[in-house]
Amino acid sequence: MAIAIDIEIEKPSVGLSRVAVSDTHGEDSPYFEGWKVYDENPYDEVRNPLGVIQMGLAENQVSFDLIEEYLEQHPEASATWGNGTSSFKENALFQDYHGLKTFRKAMASFMEQIRGERAKFDPDRIVLTAGATAANELLTFILANPGDALLVPTPYYPGFDRDLRWRTGVKIIPVHCNSSNDFQVTPQALEEAYNQALAMNIKVRGLLITNPSNPLGTLIQRSVLEEILEFVTRKNIHLVSDEIYSGSVFSSSEFTSIAEILESQKYRNAERVHIVYSLSKDLGLPGFRVGMIYSYNDQVVTTARRMSSFSLVSSQTQNFLASMLSDTKFTKNYIKINRQRLRKRYEMIIEGLRKAGIECLKGNGGLFCWMNLSPFLEKPTREGELGLWNSILHEVKLNISPGSSCYCSEPGWFRVCFANMSEQTLEVALKRIHDFMEKRKTDQRNHLSY
Amino acid sequence: MRAPKKGRRQSSEGDNEEEEDELLQFLGPAEGTQEREDKAEKGPTLLKKEYNQSVRWQEYEKNPYDEVKNPDGIIQMGLAENQLSFHLLESWLSRNPDAAGFKRDGESIFKELALFQDYHGLPAFKNAMVEFMAEIRGNKVSFDPKKLVLAAGATSANETLMFCLAEPGEAFLLPTPYYPGFDRDLKWRTGVEIVPIHCSSSNSFQITQSALEEAYKQAQKNNLKVKGVLITNPSNPLGTTITREEINLLINFVSAKEINLISDEIYSGTVFDSPGFISVQEAIKDRNLEGTDVAKRVHIVYSLSKDLGLPGFRVGAIYSNDEMVVAAATKMSSFGLVSSQTQYLLSVMLSDKKFTSNYISENRRKLQERHDMLVSGLERVGISCLKSNAGLFSWVDMKHLLSSNTFDAEMELWKKFLYKVGLNISPGSSCHCSEPGWFRVCFANMSEETLKISLKRVKSFVESTKASNSDVGGSKSPRSSRRRSLTKWVLRLSYHDRESER
C-alpha cells in the first residue's frame, strides 16, 4: 500500500559524519592532482608517445616475468585450492582471522630471507591485513586515542595523512629532517617534535618510521635505529617500523631491520615495537591486498587480529601466495634478481639525471630517487617548488611528486619513481628532462644577455 | 573511545580459537558506553561474568563432530555458512580454469590484475555484481554500478557506513533479535551506539510503530542522537523476510525523522519460500520515491559470503543513492579493498548468466529442503520454529524446555545442548532477544546425514527430559553454583553413558 509522502526538495541531502566530509583523506593534494593530469593524457610508447609519463607511482614492475614464469611452471598454485586434501570449499569457507598457517609461515620465511636470515620471525605474531594501508590504520586505532599523536619523520609518504589520521582522529607531529645530514633522523629532532606535542597538550603515543624510507629511498643506519629505540623506550611510547620496501634494497647487507636490533638486544623492550609489511612493493602485487602487522606485543597481536576482521586478506589470495612463497628456490632467486634489476634502474636514472645537471640523494633502496631541484627554483619557497612542479607536469609531461606533498621542510626536492615503467620509457623520460634542463640553460643565457 | 580497552571477539560467524570465553561474544557487551556497561541491566550481562569461568566455546573446538573420526563429537549448528551449493561452484570452476588462473581468453592478465588497486573496483566485477543483485530480486529492480562501493565483506561495509553516517556517540536503531557481530561491526572503532527496537514473539518478532517510537524515545532519553535504523532483511537470526507493512512503516519513520535506513540484504539470495523478498530498493521504487531525498537516505549492504558461500573471499558492498556517501565510502574502501585476483574470478563467474540463474534456483531449492528437514524433525519432538522463508538457520522456540522463564535457564539449556546433546546452537540472548528460550539453529553448514544425526540427538534429549521429569516430578534445579558444577559432572557422565544410544 503506497503512502504518499510530502518531500521537501529544498532540504539538503542527509548530513554525513565529520569524518566523511573532511578532506583528511588527502586526495586534494598535488600528489594526487598530478595523477589526474596523467589519467587524462597517459603516455603510451605506441599510441600516445607525447603523453604524460607517470613517475609518481611507486609500483614495482621490473620483476613480473619471474612470477609469470613461476605461474607457468606451477599452474597448480592458482588452479588448486589448498595443500594436500584441501578443496575449493575449504578455502572458500576459510575466514579465520588468524590467517592461513601455511601462508603465515611462508611470509615469515620470506621476511627472513629478505633480511639475509639476520632476524627470525614467528608466524604466530603475524596479523594479516588488506594491505599496509589497513595495517597502519589498524595499528593507529590500537595504539592511540582520538586526539593523541604519532611522530613521523619528514619527508613522509603522503598516504599517511589518511591512513594514520582520517578515521582514527589521531594527529601526526612531524619530526623535521633536512639535507644537511641527508635527512637522517636525529635525537634532537625527535626531542623537538616530542616537546612540541607537549606544549600543545597532545599525548604522543608512538613514532612511525619507514625503513627503507619513502620518499627518500635511503636506509636508516644501525646507530640511528638504536638511538630511536632508546628514545621511544625513554619516552615509553611505541615504535612502528614500516618495512614495506625491505625487499627493494639494492644490497641486502646494508639493510638493518629493527627486528635485528631487537634480537641482538635479546628482545628487551620489544613489546613496544611493531613492524608493518606488505607484498605490494617487493612482489609488485598491490592489487592482491596483502599486508601485515608483526608485533612483539601479545596484547597488540590479539587485538589486531580481532580488528583485522574489517580488512581480511582473501583466502583465495592467501592460498595462492602460500604456494608461491613456500617455494624457497623461487623466493631466493626472486629476491636476488629483483634487487639487481632495481639497482640497475636506480643507477640508470641517477646517471641520466646527472648528465642533465641534476643531483639526487644517495639512495640504497626503494622504487624511486629523491631528486634535488632546489638550485633551479625561481624562489626557494613552496610556491617556487610548485611552480617548477607545474612546469614539469605540463611542459615536460612528467608526473613527479613535489617534496611539499611529503611535508619536506626544504623546498625543491622531488620523488621520482623508476620501477613502474619499461627501460625504454625511462630513457624517454630522461631525455625529456635533459632537453628541459638544456632549454632552461639556453633561456637563462639569453635572458642574461638582455 | 577508539583504543579498545576490552578485546572484542570474532563473531560466531567466524571460525576462531579464542583464549577467552566465546560466550562473551554470544552475550555481547551491554548496549552503551564503557560507563554504561558498569551499570548494565540485569540478564545477559550479569550472566557474562558467571559463564566466563564455567563454559567455554572451546568445548566445540576440542571435540568437533566428524562423521568418520569423531562421530560423538559436538555438531556445529551455530555457524551460518552455506555449504549446500559448492558442487555448482566447483563444476563451474573446472569448466572455466582461466578465471582462477589469471587468464582472459587464454592470455595471461596476471600483471594487469596484480597492479589493479583502484578503489573504484574492477568495472567488470561491479557490473556483474549489480546484475547478480538484480537477478536475485527477480529483476524487479536494477542497480547502477557507479553507486556500488566494494568492501572486504559485509563486516567492513557495515562499519564503513557507520563512519560515513554517524559521529561517535550517535546511534542507530536495530530491531532485536539481531546478529551479535553488529556489536563489534557498528560500534567498536566508530564509537557509534546501538539502541534496540524490541520485537516480540507475540507478533512473530515483526517491527511495530510503537516499538520504533519507543526505541527513538529511549535514545533521546539517553541523549543519543539517532542517525538511522539498520535492518537485516532477510533477518538474521529470524530467517524471515520483512513484510510490506514493515518496510512501509520504516520508510515513513525514517522519512519523518530525516534519518537513514540501512538494509543489510546479505541473505537476499537465500529466500526459498513465500512470501517473497521485498528489497528496500523495490519498496522505494514501488512508492515512487526514486530520486527523492528519502531514497538518498536508504543504503543497502550486500556480500557473497552467504548466498555464494564464499566468506573467505571477503566480498562485500555498499549500495547508496547518495553520491556523497558513495564518494566517502569509496575512499574509505582503501582500508578494505577486495583482492583483484578474487574480483576477476567472480566477475567471470557472475557474468555467466546461465550459471547464475541455475545457481540461484538450485541454491533456493536445497535450502528449502534442508529447512523443511530441520523444522519437521523438530516438530516431531514437540519443538516449533518461527515460520521462516529465508536464511541458513531456523529460529527455534524452546521456551517449554526451560526450567524457568529466565535467561539463566536459557544459558542452562544452552549448556545442556552443548555438553549433553552435543550440539552447538546460539542462544537468543546472544542476539539481544528480549524473551528467553529462543535459539538460532543453522542447517546449511553440514551434510544431510549430519543434520539427521543432530535431529536424532535432539529427539533423545527431549525424550530423556520427559522421562526424567516424570520420574522426579518435574522439579527445577536450584541456583547454587555447587549444584551447577555437580550437575555438569553428572551430565558429563550421562553423556558418555548415552553414547551407544546415538
Side-chain angles (χ1 to χ4, degrees), chain B residues 410-423:
Chain B
E410 180 182 283
M411 281 297 107
E412 201 183 284
L413 184 58
W414 175 73
K415 273 201 308 173
K416 273 200 199 137
F417 263 88
L418 188 59
Y419 289 118
K420 186 173 181 190
V421 191
L423 301 179

Side-chain angles (χ1 to χ4, degrees), chain A residues 1-21 25 27-28 35 57-61 64 67-68 71-72 75 77-79 81 87-99 130 133-135 137-138 140-146 162-164 166-170 205 280-281 283-289 299 302-318 320-321 324, chain B residues 1-11 13-20 79 81-83 86 89-90 93 97 99-102 108-111 113-117 119 152 155-156 159-160 162-168 184-186 188-190 227 244 248 251-252 255 258-260 286-287 289 292-294 296-297 299 305-306 309-314 322 324-325 328 331-343 345 349:
Chain A
M1 173 180 72
I3 301 172
I5 293 179
D6 225 292
I7 312 289
E8 287 182 55
I9 313 288
E10 55 262 17
K11 283 215 182 89
S13 71
V14 64
L16 268 61
S17 67
R18 280 191 282 273
V19 164
V21 301
H25 49 71
E27 290 192 17
D28 305 324
W35 289 20
L57 193 50
E59 277 177 354
N60 181 359
Q61 295 193 24
F64 272 120
I67 301 181
E68 279 166 339
L71 275 174
E72 262 165 62
S78 59
W81 299 89
S87 63
F88 168 76
K89 174 172 145 175
E90 218 174 283
N91 183 248
L93 289 173
F94 186 87
Q95 56 170 335
D96 182 348
Y97 59 35
H98 287 81
T133 301
E137 190 199 40
L138 211 155
T140 307
F141 270 120
I142 292 177
L143 304 179
N145 287 317
R162 172 197 59 197
D163 301 349
L164 309 180
W166 190 20
R167 306 192 303 181
T168 61
V170 171
R205 291 291 199 154
S280 300
K281 309 296 178 183
L283 280 184
L285 310 173
F288 290 3
R289 312 316 302 148
Q299 208 190 347
T302 306
T303 309
R305 216 181 257 148
R306 292 181 181 133
M307 224 183 247
S308 70
S309 299
F310 299 109
S311 45
L312 296 176
V313 179
S314 166
S315 55
Q316 178 195 15
T317 302
Q318 290 189 51
F320 164 64
L321 291 173
M324 194 171 83
Chain B
M1 198 192 314
R2 303 279 175 69
K5 304 213 167 91
K6 294 182 186 172
R8 295 283 189 260
R9 283 105 101 16
Q10 181 73 350
S11 78
E13 307 301 314
D15 185 18
N16 293 287
E17 300 139 38
E18 288 300 332
E19 290 95 41
E20 294 152 86
L79 199 48
E81 277 174 357
N82 180 359
Q83 296 193 21
F86 274 114
L89 297 171
E90 280 159 348
L93 282 169
F102 307 102
S108 169
I109 52 166
F110 179 81
K111 178 170 153 173
L113 290 176
L115 290 173
F116 186 86
Q117 56 171 331
Y119 58 25
T155 300
S156 165
E159 191 199 39
T160 295
M162 289 299 109
F163 273 121
C164 287
L165 301 175
E167 307 294 344
R184 170 199 62 198
D185 300 351
L186 308 183
W188 191 12
R189 305 192 300 182
T190 62
K227 274 306 182 63
R244 179 74 66 176
N248 280 331
I251 291 176
N252 295 345
S255 170
E258 284 173 17
I259 59 179
N260 294 281
D286 290 346
R287 291 177 58 167
L289 293 172
T292 64
D293 272 1
V294 181
K296 284 215 175 119
R297 282 196 288 271
H299 322 278
S305 299
K306 309 295 177 181
L310 308 172
F313 287 8
R314 313 317 301 147
D322 184 332
M324 283 181 66
V325 171
K331 295 183 174 87
M332 282 189 196
S333 69
S334 299
F335 300 109
L337 295 175
V338 180
S339 168
S340 55
Q341 174 191 21
T342 301
Q343 289 191 52
L345 168 64
M349 188 189 283

Side-chain angles (χ1 to χ4, degrees), chain B residues 309-362:
Chain B
L310 308 172
F313 287 8
R314 313 317 301 147
V315 181
I318 294 167
Y319 187 87
S320 176
N321 292 304
D322 184 332
E323 59 204 20
M324 283 181 66
V325 171
V326 171
T330 301
K331 295 183 174 87
M332 282 189 196
S333 69
S334 299
F335 300 109
L337 295 175
V338 180
S339 168
S340 55
Q341 174 191 21
T342 301
Q343 289 191 52
Y344 177 65
L345 168 64
L346 294 172
S347 72
V348 184
M349 188 189 283
L350 296 182
S351 303
D352 184 342
K353 300 302 176 208
K354 202 153 151 264
F355 167 78
T356 56
S357 79
N358 181 53
Y359 182 94
I360 290 171
S361 65
E362 254 304 281

Side-chain angles (χ1 to χ4, degrees), chain A residues 37 42 66 111 126-127 140 145 165 219 239 242 245 284 289 356 398 423:
Chain A
V37 173
L66 300 175
M111 286 168 76
I126 292 176
V127 177
T140 307
N145 287 317
R165 302 183 322 161
L219 306 176
L239 175 63
D242 187 341
Y245 291 99
R289 312 316 302 148
L398 299 179
E423 257 183 48

Side-chain angles (χ1 to χ4, degrees), chain A residues 11-302:
Chain A
K11 283 215 182 89
S13 71
V14 64
L16 268 61
S17 67
R18 280 191 282 273
V19 164
V21 301
S22 84
D23 56 8
T24 314
H25 49 71
E27 290 192 17
D28 305 324
S29 93
Y31 183 75
F32 294 98
E33 199 214 303
W35 289 20
K36 291 183 199 145
V37 173
Y38 163 77
D39 282 336
E40 282 156 22
N41 183 21
Y43 172 84
D44 182 282
E45 205 172 326
V46 178
R47 287 169 294 190
N48 191 19
L50 298 175
V52 177
I53 298 179
Q54 172 66 285
M55 301 191 90
L57 193 50
E59 277 177 354
N60 181 359
Q61 295 193 24
V62 307
S63 305
F64 272 120
D65 58 314
L66 300 175
I67 301 181
E68 279 166 339
E69 185 183 63
Y70 175 85
L71 275 174
E72 262 165 62
Q73 290 165 0
H74 300 90
E76 75 283 359
S78 59
T80 57
W81 299 89
N83 307 318
T85 53
S86 295
S87 63
F88 168 76
K89 174 172 145 175
E90 218 174 283
N91 183 248
L93 289 173
F94 186 87
Q95 56 170 335
D96 182 348
Y97 59 35
H98 287 81
L100 214 55
K101 181 102 191 196
T102 50
F103 179 51
R104 280 183 288 119
K105 277 198 169 128
M107 283 290 269
S109 161
F110 188 64
M111 286 168 76
E112 288 168 358
Q113 288 166 49
I114 280 174
R115 288 156 184 73
E117 312 289 338
R118 292 185 299 271
K120 281 211 72 56
F121 291 96
D122 174 1
D124 291 336
R125 291 197 168 280
I126 292 176
V127 177
L128 299 172
T129 61
T133 301
N136 280 316
E137 190 199 40
L138 211 155
L139 263 180
T140 307
F141 270 120
I142 292 177
L143 304 179
N145 287 317
D148 291 345
L150 292 178
L151 306 181
V152 184
T154 65
Y156 65 75
Y157 162 55
F160 281 155
D161 282 340
R162 172 197 59 197
D163 301 349
L164 309 180
R165 302 183 322 161
W166 190 20
R167 306 192 303 181
T168 61
V170 171
K171 303 186 199 307
I172 293 178
I173 307 267
V175 178
H176 291 294
C177 302
N178 60 70
S179 58
S180 65
N181 70 340
D182 292 340
F183 294 95
Q184 287 179 77
V185 173
T186 63
Q188 298 87 328
L190 287 170
E191 287 289 346
E192 199 181 298
Y194 189 88
N195 293 332
Q196 197 190 3
L198 269 182
M200 295 191 285
N201 250 324
I202 295 172
K203 187 155 192 209
V204 173
R205 291 291 199 154
L207 168 66
L208 188 146
I209 58 176
T210 307
N211 180 28
S213 163
N214 175 12
L216 302 174
T218 53
L219 306 176
I220 301 185
Q221 292 169 21
R222 191 184 190 96
S223 56
V224 178
L225 281 174
E226 282 164 354
E227 279 171 347
I228 285 173
L229 202 48
E230 192 274 328
F231 172 79
V232 299
T233 306
R234 198 161 26 89
K235 301 295 190 195
N236 193 22
I237 60 178
H238 292 275
L239 175 63
V240 178
S241 182
D242 187 341
E243 303 191 351
I244 192 176
Y245 291 99
S246 47
S248 307
V249 177
F250 307 145
S251 160
S252 150
S253 52
E254 292 172 10
F255 174 58
T256 309
S257 164
I258 195 77
E260 293 172 51
I261 311 246
L262 291 175
E263 219 172 270
S264 68
Q265 291 181 359
K266 303 225 192 318
Y267 300 107
R268 201 173 20 100
N269 294 312
E271 79 288 346
R272 63 181 72 254
V273 180
H274 325 280
I275 298 175
V276 167
Y277 186 55
S278 158
L279 298 182
S280 300
K281 309 296 178 183
D282 295 344
L283 280 184
L285 310 173
F288 290 3
R289 312 316 302 148
V290 181
M292 64 127 98
I293 294 166
Y294 186 92
S295 178
Y296 295 91
N297 182 317
D298 292 347
Q299 208 190 347
V300 171
V301 171
T302 306

